[in-house]
Amino acid sequence: MSTTSSTFNPGKGNGEPVGIAILGHGTVGSEVLRLLNKYEDDLVHRIGGAFELKGVAVGDLAKVRPGVPKELFTDDAMELINRDDVDIVVEVIGGIDYPHEVVLAALRAGKSVVTANKALVAAHSAELAEAADEAGVDLYFEAAVAAAIPVLGPLRRSLAGDRVLSVKGIVNGTTNFILDAMDSTGASYDDMFAEAQRLGYVEADPSADIDGHDAASKAAILASLAFHTRVTSDDVYCEGISNISATDIKAAQSAGYTIKLLAICERLIDDNGQETVSARVHPTLVPRSHPLASVDKSFNAIFIEAEAAGRLMFYGNGAGGAPTASAVLGDIVGAARNKVHGGRAPGESTYASLPIADFGDVETRYHIDMEVDDRIGVLAETAAVFSDRGISLRTVRQEEGGEDHARLVIVTHKAKESDLAATIESLNNLPAVKAVNSVIRLEGE
């Protein structure tokens, strides 16, 4: 539907454009600026009023930035934030400490904020939300999880009347690329990590991706929105993919699974009806029949289950300059509309304030790969260790190993993390067990 002269507002009600300031001009910031220019005419109509870029804060003014007027750049972010003609501040710097300082200052100065910074939101969501409420401004962060994939908006709006049971997903493209390549080629982790580096998927410091911290920040945000409870990255159990071997991948394939690094957020209910929230990130065996199993390369996907809506899946590019900038631009339009027409976006909802579950009480299934003595009675001795902790075995597969040992692969029924940890400790102390090669959790059945 086109905008007509009877509905079009030329500005904030007084003919002035909505002023936008961008903090950062890296991969995402430069793309946001390009798209603002490219789609300017359309965006004016989508907003319902005019907008104007007031400045771009950068760390190095001497750096050459072709195609952008020099006068737009400043190295004084605080001065830019506090200008009277700036209404919306877009933070695309990255990191936590300095972005925390400038975003908080912007909110307290009465500016709406759009950020793509998942680490910042996961660490300081409560403080930022409170500052936005006190100032009566918006805090948007759709791009903080899965870039262009619209998942936070549905959680905040479309599913606001439903009861979300779980959110599970692939939210890191680097690790998905590595695991998918290992699965399709049979190559080692080291080889596929090197390939990911060659293709530019790996950051200079890869630990945030490889060790699962990037996904943990996103899990905290997803859990907070899904369960109306404040969840920070410190509340998320985190385990990376560097210990996944080609042998693990092959074993998963033989059993009909693939391995994915999943962010898993769940509403748990104990025998007394007490509800808690669990958020965790770790390598996970996923059945080949599950929709998440087919998510390949560096793509992301989030699988949501709610009582009334049932199962929903969101899929697409979860990283990169253009996809992230697309989500940022959508948030800019939303914030600018509110400046033109009045009103605010949905704020933080923490009414449920559910306790965070102790990780030891979380239940899932497990795939355990071990080397044992190749002799009569070993299977019974091993099974007894599981039985002592009340863990039921679903399948047991024994394969030939070396000259004097065999390979034993066990899949359990659901068991508590604390019971499984104690079982692994007992297995490591059992003379018949030469080594516990891997323990990988199993989801999706």
Side-chain angles (χ1 to χ4, degrees):
M1 179 177 177
S2 62
T3 304
T4 67
S5 57
S6 62
T7 61
F8 186 78
N9 189 322
K12 294 179 288 187
N14 57 6
E16 296 178 8
V18 175
I20 299 171
I22 299 176
L23 311 184
H25 193 258
T27 301
V28 177
S30 59
E31 191 66 14
V32 169
L33 185 55
R34 185 185 72 82
L35 293 178
L36 277 173
N37 290 326
K38 180 178 180 180
Y39 301 141
E40 180 177 3
D41 292 342
D42 286 336
L43 293 177
V44 166
H45 287 274
R46 294 172 192 175
I47 290 168
F51 70 90
E52 184 176 327
L53 181 65
K54 298 297 183 179
V56 181
V58 295
D60 181 10
L61 285 175
K63 183 177 179 180
V64 177
R65 297 175 174 88
V68 184
K70 282 187 176 182
E71 59 268 21
L72 277 177
F73 292 105
T74 177
D75 58 2
D76 191 342
M78 286 298 185
E79 187 277 333
L80 178 61
I81 285 168
N82 286 295
R83 282 174 49 174
D84 291 337
D85 59 351
V86 168
D87 302 291
I88 299 170
V89 173
V90 181
E91 185 275 310
V92 283
I93 304 169
I96 296 181
D97 293 339
Y98 181 62
H100 175 226
E101 179 184 349
V102 293
V103 166
L104 197 57
L107 292 169
R108 288 173 175 168
K111 319 295 183 178
S112 290
V113 168
V114 172
T115 179
N117 194 329
K118 64 266 182 180
L120 171 65
V121 175
H124 297 291
S125 61
E127 185 181 21
L128 299 180
E130 287 167 4
D133 285 342
E134 288 173 6
V137 295
D138 289 327
L139 173 63
Y140 281 91
F141 47 87
E142 180 67 54
V145 176
I149 303 173
V151 64
L152 301 190
L155 283 172
R156 296 177 85 164
R157 294 185 293 272
S158 306
L159 294 171
D162 207 337
R163 177 181 168 87
V164 176
L165 303 175
S166 67
V167 182
K168 302 175 183 179
I170 298 162
V171 294
N172 182 273
T174 301
T175 51
N176 198 58
F177 173 84
I178 292 171
L179 292 173
D180 179 61
M182 290 174 69
D183 183 86
S184 59
T185 67
S188 69
Y189 166 82
D190 289 339
D191 286 345
M192 289 302 96
F193 176 81
E195 178 65 6
Q197 281 184 313
R198 186 185 71 80
L199 294 172
Y201 290 129
V202 180
E203 301 287 345
D205 178 6
S207 60
D209 293 329
I210 299 306
D211 295 336
H213 301 303
D214 173 82
S217 293
K218 296 169 182 175
I221 295 169
L222 290 167
S224 297
L225 294 177
F227 308 125
H228 306 279
T229 295
R230 282 179 181 163
V231 180
T232 71
S233 48
D234 290 338
D235 297 319
V236 182
Y237 172 82
C238 186
E239 187 180 314
I241 68 166
S242 57
N243 290 326
I244 298 298
S245 67
T247 301
D248 293 327
I249 297 290
K250 186 176 180 181
Q253 291 173 337
S254 298
Y257 300 99
T258 186
I259 299 178
K260 300 291 187 181
L261 183 75
L262 292 190
I264 301 171
C265 311
E266 296 175 302
R267 183 192 299 268
L268 306 179
I269 305 175
D270 66 17
D271 293 337
N272 298 317
Q274 174 65 48
E275 289 191 356
T276 56
V277 168
S278 166
R280 48 197 167 100
V281 169
H282 49 67
T284 309
L285 285 161
V286 180
R288 295 273 174 182
S289 58
H290 194 281
L292 289 174
S294 62
V295 179
D296 61 357
K297 300 176 183 176
S298 61
F299 283 85
N300 283 192
I302 297 93
F303 195 82
I304 297 175
E305 187 170 359
E307 281 190 354
R311 296 179 176 182
L312 309 168
M313 184 162 151
F314 302 83
Y315 168 86
N317 280 315
T324 305
S326 171
V328 169
L329 220 61
D331 281 351
I332 291 173
V333 170
R337 280 174 177 164
N338 291 339
K339 290 294 181 182
V340 171
H341 303 294
R344 289 183 62 204
E348 184 187 41
S349 172
T350 60
Y351 79 91
S353 194
L354 297 174
I356 306 300
D358 185 301
F359 185 64
D361 292 333
V362 174
E363 291 186 345
T364 188
R365 301 177 180 87
Y366 304 89
H367 180 280
I368 300 125
D369 186 328
M370 66 186 88
E371 292 179 30
V372 298
D373 288 339
D374 189 8
R375 60 174 174 79
I376 295 173
V378 167
L379 183 58
E381 292 175 32
T382 305
V385 174
F386 287 89
S387 178
D388 289 344
R389 289 287 173 178
I391 299 178
S392 173
L393 305 186
R394 178 180 173 184
T395 63
V396 178
R397 187 173 79 253
Q398 184 171 327
E399 301 176 357
E400 290 186 5
E403 184 175 332
D404 61 348
H405 68 273
R407 181 163 169 251
L408 198 60
V409 179
I410 292 175
V411 175
T412 74
H413 288 287
K414 274 194 171 183
K416 286 187 175 182
E417 286 282 346
S418 57
D419 291 332
L420 192 281
T423 299
I424 297 303
E425 183 178 354
S426 297
L427 288 171
N428 281 321
N429 293 325
L430 193 69
V433 176
K434 293 183 175 293
V436 177
N437 298 322
S438 66
V439 178
I440 305 176
R441 296 164 185 88
L442 193 156
E443 293 283 339
E445 292 186 323

